[in-house]
Amino acid sequence: MSENTEVVVIGGGYAGVMAANRLTQRDDVTVTLVNPRPAFVERIRLHQVVGGSHDGVVAYRKVLAAGVRLVVDTAARIDTAGRTVALAGGGTLPYDYLVYAVGSGSADPQVPGAAEFARPIASLEEAERLRADLAAVPTTAPVTVVGAGPTGIETAAELAETGRPVTLVCGRMLGPYLHPRARRAVAGRLAKLGVKLLTGPGAQVTEVTADTVRLGDGREVPGAVTVWTAGFGVPDLAARSGLRTDALGRLLTDETLTSVDDGRVVAAGDSAAPSNLPFRMSCQAALPLGAQAADTVLRRIADERPSPVSLGFVGQCISLGRAAGLVQIARKSDTPTALHLAGVPAAKVKELVCGFTVKQLVREAAKPGSLFWLKDTGRERALEGRRPVDTSAATGPTEAVRPEPAVRAVREQPAGSAADGA
């Protein structure tokens, strides 16, 4: 390895920017961030992009450390043997260590007609396209939102608050993550906004057409625009590069967030699956996971043993239009409690969280290593007795790649991601 250590971070979302900023603690580390867009996207505001109350972007110069080189391009393939990243625009980037923070996006709906007629909202481009589609139809035209996780709830509320008639197709239940008390509060607010809720076994979407959503019980829901928020997927870059992933495509890692196949590849955020038991996709997890990925790399450079991942949750914030919200309080293990905050105070908390998230990135850029987060000491119990992920094929500094003690699974909801509530 050369005297200067080259680290490439793939993905400029919450986890990637946090990792890149934190890596600048050492003067002998050169950090390159690869991202397909020239601006940072606040994914937790994409429902506001659709509703027109926020543009959802922040200039990278505000959130990225001055010493980080930004390459606006897409990573096409990782060559772990040659330690290079091939770019879609041509050329390659060499690395000594790589942080894999590609995030998440829209998953294949696997419902007839959904890919053609429904509009996803997992990226800035998708949100902007949906906004344009809505502008092209009368405000009196019905809108159908499919998926009752935070993204679906927030989008339905945002559109209903502008006066649009909205139907929210929930499937089994509204807000699966929420405690029943919080769920009732959300249902009450949506009712006040005029949102029609469809829940239960028959409320499963079986087909989407240009102007209709068909349900399992035979009902047909009219919609000039259909919004699809039911589930998220992960880019297949790791799999295409010969690295093992979980069923969703997240990079399989040990408890230090190191790839089970290569000791010089470390994952963070939505695209990481430590011990094949990933954290809930969320902005709340992305920042500390980005920081911990950077710490793993820095410890390896210093020939020190990386620490196992530790992350405690505090809850989930959901916007219910601009005038109300809900804050679900959770245990550190990411299980909801009976406590929640609703109404105007919750809306203010949600806005504070959105703003504070960006401020945390700004602070880390100015003072790398400054981020602190809640830990969960109970994680070690869940993997007791489970077969550890095989790391026998790993390359690189394998003395520090072995799986750490078993961890406790953190609950993940199918529609949760960094786009969903903090």
Side-chain angles (χ1 to χ4, degrees), residues 18-33:
M18 175 55 68
N21 288 346
R22 198 171 183 91
L23 285 163
T24 62
Q25 291 178 75
R26 291 183 60 126
D27 293 334
D28 60 349
V29 174
T30 300
V31 184
T32 300
L33 179 70

Side-chain angles (χ1 to χ4, degrees), residues 91-111:
T92 60
L93 295 174
Y95 69 83
D96 295 307
Y97 289 93
L98 183 141
V99 177
Y100 188 82
V102 298
S104 60
S106 300
D108 183 353
Q110 297 185 339
V111 171

Side-chain angles (χ1 to χ4, degrees), residues 307-360:
S307 300
V309 64
S310 181
L311 168 61
F313 285 76
V314 296
Q316 187 176 78
C317 300
I318 299 177
S319 293
L320 297 171
R322 296 297 87 214
L326 182 126
V327 178
Q328 169 68 71
I329 308 301
R331 301 175 184 86
K332 288 189 292 184
S333 60
D334 200 26
T335 53
T337 71
L339 300 176
H340 71 272
L341 180 68
V344 175
K348 292 182 178 179
V349 170
K350 167 72 174 183
E351 183 57 33
L352 285 172
V353 168
C354 290
F356 183 64
T357 299
V358 173
K359 289 180 180 178
Q360 286 178 302

